[in-house]
Amino acid sequence: MGKILMRYALAVFLALALIAVAGAAEDHDPVCIKCHDSEMVKPAFRKIPGEWRQSWHYRNGVACNDCHGGDPVDAAMAMSRERGFVGTPKYREVPEFCGKCHIGILKNYLESGHGKALKASGRGPNCVTCHGSHGIQKANIDIINEQRCSQCHSYERARTMKQALFTTERKIQDIEHALKKLSSQGIYTAEEVKALFRTEAEFRTLFHTVDVSLVKEKTDDFVRLLDILQNKVDSLFVELRSRRNFWVVLMLLFAGAGIVVYLLAKTYR
Amino acid sequence: MWKNIKNWIEVRIGLDELVRTQFTGYLVPKNINVFYTLGFVALAGFVAQILTGFLLLAYYVPHPDHAFKSVQNIMVNVPYGWLFRLMHVVGSNLIVIAVGFHLLSVFFMNSYKKPRELTWFAGASMLLITLTFCLSGYLLPWSQLSYWATTIVTNIPSALPYVGNIAVTCLQGGQSVSGVTLGRFFALHVVVLPALFLVLVSTHLFLIRRIGISSPPLGREGEKKPWTAFHHDSHPGGYPFFPHFVLKETFMVMAFFALMFFIIAFAPALFLPEDTNVPADPYKTPEHIKPEWYFLAPYQMLKLVPNKLMGVSLQIVMVTLFLLWPFLDVKKEDNMLKRRALFAFFVTAIIGWVVLTIWGKYS
């Protein structure tokens, strides 16, 4: 009896172990999260996984090791310098840290008043000042606001620039929304999405120059590019409408034929 | 002129007699209802699938590098390509519904009973073929959704001991879904399955015509005679197949296509969610992968059974029971309303299927 019970207990244990292994195999998060989610790290570090999971980086597959280096699968070597771990950058080094990926923006930022101030005094705003770090969200024009900018200088220049950017930013959002709608209706929009992404990325680098006259000058070029995209999107909507009309005609034809057949069948009864 | 042509044919094939024996003189029961037309509706749907499928075949490229692009090309550049593709996609889903309802009505009316066991077997096999058609066709656009849904489905046999891994390798043509899988599924979809389907549908129609249409138990006049020797189940005093029943069938076919065009016009994304618009990426697993709606119930059942082998075995047993049901149900009574246990099973099975489908969708 005891032996049988032992066998059952072993079977249950093995089954649970298998489930646990299967569960672990499905976990795609880097090993960093396991420690940062536990009491092994100080409280301030524990909120990082939660912020990251809500971030734009997380949604686009950017993990801890993509910025901080290290080994995302081997816990023992996760923070090894040999595996490229760089840890947290110093305040002054943040632009280069982010600029590993955001190359164009880094160049414009370093040439801007913000970048020059940081390099000269070590006290100018860096990327994190405006965008935050682990909980970073998709950038939008509202990052430029009085509360944030007036921490260091008057808001007047920033307001003028925001006004210059406003129409273009709204146009980008409208086209983005329209492309999503087209995609949900079965139209493949990858080319248009890429073109919009390119334009948007170039437009974003323009923000970082903090040069009002340059922004005003370049805005016309962006508007022209966006107008081309808008026309393409509009023509796709026209095409969709004409397709829908065609389907409705076919539907009415078949429904009408059905009614005729039904009435004919009634006469035979 | 017309008379001469008719006469020319009449002399050679005896057209008048053919029409008399096969259509106007072929009688169907007076109490036959609209559910009896669903088989014909499904057949009409299959004909539309063959025609639209043939046009898609002219532009589709079964290669991982070109499959997705070729489907987009059909949707955007090929004149009326969108028409044929959407008809093919929505049509396939509506056929599953038509075949499903057809089998449910046959089950409810106990029309599978002696001498129609083989007719049921051929029909039930056709449902399985239809689902295999859907499964194989689903991969062909090589979208993110189709790639990962196929990955899940083709890995299900791995739960079986000894033959499981061999079955998975046979299905996938390797260790994962790849271009080889696409080639295999394409061949299955356009050559093997149509040939099998043709054999089964011919057998099914032959058996129906040879034995005769069954009489619905509800509203039947007089008692049903026991079947002791083969004879054609004629229905003296019934309605002629043509025009009465043919008109009923035509009405239902029109309703089928009107519904198809309604869905395409007003809910084009119903059977084509957004992930079908993203090219397959073997390195990026989507967050929520769900099979098509008709596989949601078995999918949820597999998730509920804690042991994968037990879950797969249970489904194999259920499919076997479904195919061989007429040989297991030997009771003579064919009025479902007089068989409480069977009626309760029928209702419970339908409710269970619906609940599992909804559960699978939102779990």
Side-chain angles (χ1 to χ4, degrees), chain A residues 79 82 107 182:
Chain A
M79 292 171 70
E82 288 168 23
K107 185 174 172 286
L182 282 171

Side-chain angles (χ1 to χ4, degrees), chain B residues 7-127:
Chain B
N7 192 42
W8 190 89
I9 298 169
E10 174 60 38
V11 169
R12 279 153 185 88
I13 62 167
L15 191 66
D16 282 345
E17 195 225 348
L18 197 70
V19 169
R20 197 174 58 251
T21 54
Q22 303 300 321
F23 292 98
T24 49
Y26 173 42
L27 301 179
V28 296
K30 261 188 171 174
N31 61 335
I32 204 162
N33 55 46
V34 81
F35 288 102
Y36 276 70
T37 63
L38 288 171
F40 185 74
V41 170
L43 188 64
F46 272 113
V47 172
Q49 289 301 100
I50 293 167
L51 294 175
T52 53
F54 182 72
L55 291 160
L56 293 175
L57 199 58
Y59 293 95
Y60 174 72
V61 185
H63 187 283
D65 293 343
H66 306 290
F68 185 81
K69 278 184 198 157
S70 67
V71 172
Q72 295 311 324
N73 183 45
I74 289 168
M75 286 295 281
V76 179
N77 299 322
V78 175
Y80 293 95
W82 46 272
L83 175 86
F84 303 117
R85 193 198 171 210
L86 288 178
M87 278 180 74
H88 202 72
V89 172
V90 177
S92 67
N93 286 275
L94 291 183
I95 285 174
V96 174
I97 296 172
V99 175
F101 273 113
H102 179 48
L103 279 163
L104 280 179
S105 68
V106 169
F107 190 92
F108 182 78
M109 285 180 251
N110 278 208
S111 305
Y112 53 80
K113 282 186 170 290
K114 190 180 174 182
R116 297 185 176 83
E117 297 95 329
L118 289 175
T119 318
W120 166 273
F121 185 79
S125 304
M126 270 196 285
L127 174 66

Side-chain angles (χ1 to χ4, degrees), chain A residues 64-69 84 86-87 89 93-104 106:
Chain A
C64 318
N65 56 300
D66 292 313
C67 300
H68 298 280
V86 290
E93 292 164 1
V94 168
E96 284 76 13
F97 185 82
C98 304
K100 284 183 290 189
C101 299
H102 303 280
I103 301 160
L106 173 68

Side-chain angles (χ1 to χ4, degrees), chain A residues 180 182-188 239 243-244 246-248 250-251 254-255 257-259 261-262 264-265 268-269, chain B residues 68 72 75-76 80 82-83 86-87 243-244 247 250-251 254 257-258 261-262 264-266 268-269 274 277 279:
Chain A
K180 271 189 188 154
L182 282 171
S183 179
S184 71
Q185 294 190 22
I187 300 287
Y188 186 55
E239 167 77 15
R243 284 184 191 183
R244 175 175 291 190
F246 188 83
W247 293 121
V248 171
L250 281 177
M251 183 190 82
F254 276 86
I259 292 168
V261 171
Y262 177 76
L264 196 63
Y268 278 102
R269 271 177 221 155
Chain B
F68 185 81
Q72 295 311 324
M75 286 295 281
V76 179
Y80 293 95
W82 46 272
L83 175 86
L86 288 178
M87 278 180 74
H244 288 73
L247 281 174
T250 312
F251 168 73
M254 295 298 152
F257 282 104
F261 296 130
F262 175 83
I264 300 173
F266 298 107
E274 253 189 288
N277 232 358

Side-chain angles (χ1 to χ4, degrees), chain A residues 115-132:
Chain A
K116 283 175 183 161
L118 180 78
K119 291 297 164 189
S121 64
R123 292 179 58 200
N126 66 18
C127 316
V128 173
T129 316
C130 299
H131 297 281

Side-chain angles (χ1 to χ4, degrees), chain B residues 51-343:
Chain B
L51 294 175
T52 53
F54 182 72
L55 291 160
L56 293 175
L57 199 58
Y59 293 95
Y60 174 72
V61 185
H63 187 283
D65 293 343
H66 306 290
F68 185 81
K69 278 184 198 157
S70 67
V71 172
Q72 295 311 324
N73 183 45
I74 289 168
M75 286 295 281
V76 179
N77 299 322
V78 175
Y80 293 95
W82 46 272
L83 175 86
F84 303 117
R85 193 198 171 210
L86 288 178
M87 278 180 74
H88 202 72
V89 172
V90 177
S92 67
N93 286 275
L94 291 183
I95 285 174
V96 174
I97 296 172
V99 175
F101 273 113
H102 179 48
L103 279 163
L104 280 179
S105 68
V106 169
F107 190 92
F108 182 78
M109 285 180 251
N110 278 208
S111 305
Y112 53 80
K113 282 186 170 290
K114 190 180 174 182
R116 297 185 176 83
E117 297 95 329
L118 289 175
T119 318
W120 166 273
F121 185 79
S125 304
M126 270 196 285
L127 174 66
L128 300 185
I129 294 280
T130 306
L131 293 174
T132 320
F133 257 124
C134 291
L135 178 72
S136 55
Y138 200 57
L139 179 69
L140 302 189
W142 204 244
S143 68
Q144 185 69 331
L145 196 69
S146 64
Y147 179 89
W148 289 101
T150 309
T151 299
I152 292 177
V153 176
T154 50
N155 272 305
I156 289 175
S158 67
L160 298 170
Y162 307 114
V163 292
N165 286 334
I166 300 169
V168 173
T169 313
C170 277
L171 278 171
Q172 295 184 341
Q175 298 303 311
S176 63
V177 173
S178 64
V180 183
T181 325
L182 182 64
R184 285 182 185 204
F185 275 46
F186 177 68
L188 198 68
H189 194 75
V190 302
V191 180
V192 182
L193 291 174
L196 267 174
F197 179 77
L198 202 65
V199 171
L200 283 170
V201 83
S202 311
T203 312
H204 193 69
L205 291 176
F206 164 76
L207 289 167
I208 292 170
R209 189 62 192 87
R210 179 78 180 146
I211 302 169
I213 290 180
S214 70
S215 145
L218 308 172
R220 186 193 290 144
E221 288 166 9
E223 280 297 302
K224 194 183 175 191
K225 288 173 193 161
W227 192 276
T228 48
F230 177 77
H231 60 270
H232 179 76
D233 197 2
S234 57
H235 303 280
Y239 288 131
F241 180 73
F242 181 86
H244 288 73
F245 194 59
V246 168
L247 281 174
K248 227 175 208 175
E249 287 180 324
T250 312
F251 168 73
M252 287 298 281
V253 170
M254 295 298 152
F256 175 86
F257 282 104
L259 176 66
M260 178 197 283
F261 296 130
F262 175 83
I263 292 171
I264 300 173
F266 298 107
L270 186 65
F271 300 119
L272 280 173
E274 253 189 288
D275 268 354
T276 55
N277 232 358
V278 179
D281 183 352
Y283 301 105
K284 196 175 175 187
T285 319
E287 269 186 54
H288 307 288
I289 318 160
K290 294 269 166 73
E292 279 290 82
W293 63 270
Y294 35 81
F295 288 129
L296 279 172
Y299 160 80
Q300 185 60 24
M301 208 185 290
L302 272 180
K303 272 169 63 180
L304 291 176
V305 180
N307 183 299
K308 201 176 169 189
L309 172 62
M310 201 193 290
V312 174
S313 309
L314 185 70
Q315 300 209 346
I316 292 173
V317 170
M318 283 167 71
V319 170
T320 313
L321 283 176
F322 165 69
L323 282 172
L324 303 178
W325 181 252
F327 303 99
L328 303 168
D329 178 22
V330 287
K331 275 204 168 183
K332 283 189 181 150
E333 178 58 62
D334 67 349
N335 187 344
M336 174 82 98
L337 298 177
K338 290 180 183 168
R339 298 181 64 185
R340 286 185 185 171
L342 188 66
F343 184 66

